[in-house]
Amino acid sequence: MTEQNFPMTQGIEALAERVREIHSEQSDLVIALTGSVASGKSTLARHLDETLSAGLTVETVSTDGFLFPTAFLREQGLFQKKGFPETYDRPAMEAAIASIRDGATDFPGYSHITFDPDPALTRRLEPVEILIMEGLGFQPRAAAQAAPHEPDLLVYLDAELDHIETWFLERFLRFWHAAEHDPASFYAQFRHMSESELITFAKSVWAAINLPNLETHILPLRDHADLVVKKDADHAIQITEDRWAMR
C-alpha cells in the first residue's frame, strides 16, 4: 500500500483546525513542516494547503530548492550527505523567510528528476497569511518567539521507522520505473540493475545516508516541535504532541 493509495486525508481537518487557531494568535504564519525523508511531508503539506485555503491565503514551498547544487556537493565531498544540514544554503533560506514577511520573494525550485535545484522552477511569492515550508534543513528556534528569519511554527511528521523505510523503498522504485523512458532522470543511471538489485541498493542508501541523517539531525527536532503529527501505516494522521501553548 503506497502513499498514493492513502492520500493522508484522515485527520487532516483536525490538524488544519489547530493551525487556524494558532494563526489567530500569530498572523502571517510561517510553518516549518519536517520529518524523515519519505515520511510524506510533501503530501501532508499539499493536503494542509488545500484544506486551509478554504478561508486563508496559503502557499507551500519545498526547502529542497535551498540544497546546494550537486556539482558543488561533489566538489566539497558532500554528495553522499545530501539532505544533511551542511548541504543546505541556510543563509539563503533564512533570508527568504525574513523577506516574505515584507514583500514578494523568490523561492528556488528543485527537480526530483535531475536531482538538482532548477532555476526554471523558481517561484516568486507574495506575502500570504500562511506559508508552509516543507522539507529538511530546519533548526530549533533560538527562543520561544521566532526571529524574522525563523519559522513561527515547527510541525514534525512522525511515523514508525519500519514504515518510513518501506515508503522510501517504494518511492525509490517509482522513480526508477519512471526513468525507463527519461534519460535525463537521476535514476536513469540505475536502469541497468534488475529490480531485486535496485531494492538491495536502495536499502544500502537508506542505511548509509538517510537513516543516519534521520537519527542524528532530523529526529532530534521532534522534541522541539510545536506540533508532532503521527502518521500510521494507512497514512492516517493525528496530533500526538501540542506544545504551542507551552512556549
Side-chain angles (χ1 to χ4, degrees), residues 104-124:
T105 301
D106 287 339
F107 282 82
Y110 185 87
S111 170
H112 285 277
I113 303 301
T114 63
F115 218 52
D116 238 342
D118 185 346
L121 299 177
T122 296
R123 297 170 60 203
R124 168 151 286 213

Side-chain angles (χ1 to χ4, degrees), residues 153-173:
L153 177 68
L154 177 60
V155 179
Y156 188 93
L157 179 57
D158 196 16
E160 296 298 323
L161 189 58
D162 58 339
H163 296 159
I164 298 173
E165 182 178 1
T166 295
W167 300 330
F168 173 82
L169 297 174
E170 290 174 346
R171 188 178 72 170
F172 205 106
L173 198 59

Side-chain angles (χ1 to χ4, degrees), residues 84-142:
F84 282 56
E86 59 267 36
T87 64
Y88 286 86
D89 187 345
R90 284 198 53 80
M93 187 190 302
E94 292 174 353
I97 294 173
S99 175
I100 192 66
R101 298 184 189 278
D102 296 320
T105 301
D106 287 339
F107 282 82
Y110 185 87
S111 170
H112 285 277
I113 303 301
T114 63
F115 218 52
D116 238 342
D118 185 346
L121 299 177
T122 296
R123 297 170 60 203
R124 168 151 286 213
L125 301 183
E126 298 289 338
V128 289
E129 291 174 292
I130 296 179
L131 175 65
I132 303 170
M133 297 184 69
E134 63 87 9
L136 305 179
F138 297 111
Q139 293 179 341
R141 287 190 303 270

Side-chain angles (χ1 to χ4, degrees), residues 7-19 33-34 39-40 44 48 154-160 163 167 222 225-243:
M8 228 182 301
T9 53
Q10 185 175 342
I12 191 68
E13 184 53 50
L15 175 59
E17 181 57 30
R18 185 65 183 112
V19 172
L33 171 56
T34 196
S39 61
L44 178 57
L48 184 59
L154 177 60
V155 179
Y156 188 93
L157 179 57
D158 196 16
E160 296 298 323
H163 296 159
W167 300 330
R222 184 174 63 183
D226 301 296
L227 299 178
V228 176
V229 177
K230 187 71 175 283
K231 174 181 164 185
D232 67 19
D234 290 339
H235 298 249
I237 60 168
Q238 63 174 332
I239 298 172
T240 55
E241 295 283 349
D242 187 340
R243 305 186 182 103

Side-chain angles (χ1 to χ4, degrees), residues 5-244:
N5 301 122
F6 293 91
M8 228 182 301
T9 53
Q10 185 175 342
I12 191 68
E13 184 53 50
L15 175 59
E17 181 57 30
R18 185 65 183 112
V19 172
R20 292 186 194 102
E21 293 170 355
I22 292 170
H23 176 262
S24 70
E25 307 169 21
Q26 173 79 48
S27 60
D28 302 329
L29 188 68
V30 177
I31 300 173
L33 171 56
T34 196
S36 174
V37 168
S39 61
K41 299 181 296 296
S42 298
T43 301
L44 178 57
R46 183 174 70 251
H47 286 297
L48 184 59
D49 183 321
E50 292 171 353
T51 305
L52 292 170
S53 292
L56 296 164
T57 57
V58 184
E59 289 283 2
T60 298
V61 296
S62 171
T63 62
D64 288 348
F66 293 101
L67 281 162
F68 288 116
T70 296
F72 175 81
L73 294 178
R74 291 190 188 278
E75 290 171 4
Q76 300 298 313
L78 291 172
F79 180 70
Q80 296 302 321
K81 289 191 171 184
K82 195 166 192 176
F84 282 56
E86 59 267 36
T87 64
Y88 286 86
D89 187 345
R90 284 198 53 80
M93 187 190 302
E94 292 174 353
I97 294 173
S99 175
I100 192 66
R101 298 184 189 278
D102 296 320
T105 301
D106 287 339
F107 282 82
Y110 185 87
S111 170
H112 285 277
I113 303 301
T114 63
F115 218 52
D116 238 342
D118 185 346
L121 299 177
T122 296
R123 297 170 60 203
R124 168 151 286 213
L125 301 183
E126 298 289 338
V128 289
E129 291 174 292
I130 296 179
L131 175 65
I132 303 170
M133 297 184 69
E134 63 87 9
L136 305 179
F138 297 111
Q139 293 179 341
R141 287 190 303 270
Q145 187 68 29
H149 65 275
E150 296 176 315
D152 304 296
L153 177 68
L154 177 60
V155 179
Y156 188 93
L157 179 57
D158 196 16
E160 296 298 323
L161 189 58
D162 58 339
H163 296 159
I164 298 173
E165 182 178 1
T166 295
W167 300 330
F168 173 82
L169 297 174
E170 290 174 346
R171 188 178 72 170
F172 205 106
L173 198 59
R174 286 200 303 272
F175 281 130
W176 179 77
H177 280 298
E180 181 178 2
H181 304 294
D182 185 1
S185 170
F186 173 82
Y187 294 86
Q189 64 185 303
F190 309 123
R191 286 299 308 171
H192 68 282
M193 297 180 180
S194 67
E195 186 167 314
S196 62
E197 289 172 335
L198 182 84
I199 292 172
T200 298
F201 172 69
K203 287 181 177 179
S204 73
V205 171
W206 170 259
I209 300 175
N210 295 284
L211 181 58
N213 191 22
L214 171 61
E215 293 177 335
T216 305
H217 301 293
I218 304 170
L219 193 57
L221 287 171
R222 184 174 63 183
D223 292 335
H224 297 274
D226 301 296
L227 299 178
V228 176
V229 177
K230 187 71 175 283
K231 174 181 164 185
D232 67 19
D234 290 339
H235 298 249
I237 60 168
Q238 63 174 332
I239 298 172
T240 55
E241 295 283 349
D242 187 340
R243 305 186 182 103
W244 177 260

